[in-house]
Amino acid sequence: WNYHVTHFVTSAPDIRHLPADTGLEVAFAGRSNAGKSSALNTLTNQKSLARTSKTPGRTQLINLFQVAEGYRLVDLPGYGYAEVPEEMKLKWQKALAEYLQMRECLKGLVVLMDIRHPLKDLDQQMIQWAVQSGIEVLVLLTKADKLASGARKAQLNAVREATKEFVGEVRVEMFSSLKKIGVDKLRDQLDSWFSA
Ligand code: GDP
């Protein structure tokens, strides 16, 4: 698969407005600021495929990109904004859960977490919803360049240990858009999901 030819297809305000549930999808999720947009841009080798929105509480859209006909990458709204009212947070969470549980064409979920602050509540929740729905998960520990190699490895081992009950369903790797760490692992995992 050539991810460099990925292009924007459409945005949806919620899961009811997504395009038809056919083909194969891989979704990207993470707390706001986890480095999700940067990872999508790095994967696709495009400067601004996924816009980095720095406006918390702004209407969050689900963005869909197409790698090839019927093969999509889905950029889910970032979660965890402190400034967002509780009611809105719960609404987002419900929508995320619904998407993970109902979307038939969803093959895999990439969960991005800052390597310095992994496995926050909603990160763990996302992993659980996915696994319960039979969706495989790739956890990317982002901004790995921010830690020295020893600390980096320690965090990787800690997150692998914390998710070991899901072995075979959840894979954990380091990632850095800045230093291009883990991009090959991400590509391999997407290839595998899209080829199944
Ligand atoms: P998003 O909110 O999850 O889409 O996160 P962004 O991709 O917009 O990144 C959030 C912030 O982290 C930005 O200031 C990025 O420049 C920074 N960032 C993203 N990826 C990396 C990385 O690999 N290394 C470093 N050092 N900073 C990164």
Side-chain angles (χ1 to χ4, degrees):
W1 294 92
N2 178 9
Y3 298 97
H4 292 187
V5 301
T6 304
H7 59 274
F8 175 78
V9 196
T10 187
S11 291
D14 56 60
I15 63 158
R16 276 164 211 84
H17 293 85
L18 287 172
D21 194 353
T22 57
L24 283 180
E25 269 172 17
V26 173
F28 287 67
R31 294 173 64 79
S32 57
N33 221 39
K36 180 161 55 71
S37 307
S38 303
L40 279 164
N41 291 342
T42 298
L43 169 74
T44 57
N45 198 33
Q46 296 177 41
K47 279 200 184 72
S48 54
L49 181 84
R51 265 178 302 116
T52 46
S53 161
K54 296 290 157 225
T55 321
R58 218 180 77 167
T59 309
Q60 294 283 298
L61 297 172
I62 302 169
N63 288 308
L64 292 106
F65 305 96
Q66 179 172 302
V67 180
E69 182 78 41
Y71 296 86
R72 294 179 298 275
L73 303 178
V74 179
D75 186 9
L76 296 171
Y79 46 79
Y81 285 113
E83 300 86 343
V84 172
E86 198 59 29
E87 185 192 347
M88 211 174 162
K89 280 187 194 167
L90 291 172
K91 227 176 120 186
W92 286 1
Q93 287 176 34
K94 195 162 162 264
L96 286 171
E98 237 175 279
Y99 171 73
L100 295 176
Q101 286 158 4
M102 313 297 281
R103 191 78 170 161
E104 296 278 346
C105 67
L106 183 62
K107 181 72 193 164
L109 175 70
V110 181
V111 180
L112 299 102
M113 310 174 192
D114 188 314
I115 194 164
R116 298 162 299 172
H117 320 284
L119 291 174
K120 302 276 193 188
D121 283 359
L122 219 59
D123 296 329
Q124 301 196 33
Q125 184 69 258
M126 292 292 292
I127 292 172
Q128 284 201 351
W129 282 329
V131 170
Q132 281 163 9
S133 309
I135 294 155
E136 288 178 25
V137 178
L138 171 64
V139 172
L140 292 181
L141 301 177
T142 60
K143 313 186 195 181
D145 57 276
K146 296 247 191 196
L147 295 180
S149 67
R152 209 184 268 180
K153 193 78 197 156
Q155 282 295 73
L156 178 66
N157 288 337
V159 175
R160 282 183 175 161
E161 179 67 24
T163 55
K164 71 173 182 214
E165 62 179 297
F166 304 126
V167 69
E169 296 155 302
V170 176
R171 176 179 169 196
V172 187
E173 301 292 349
M174 294 190 270
F175 194 86
S176 167
S177 291
L178 195 70
K179 298 285 182 195
K180 306 283 181 279
I181 298 167
V183 185
D184 49 345
K185 298 237 165 74
L186 170 58
R187 232 183 273 121
D188 288 350
Q189 184 63 74
L190 295 176
D191 284 353
S192 147
W193 281 333
F194 280 154
S195 304

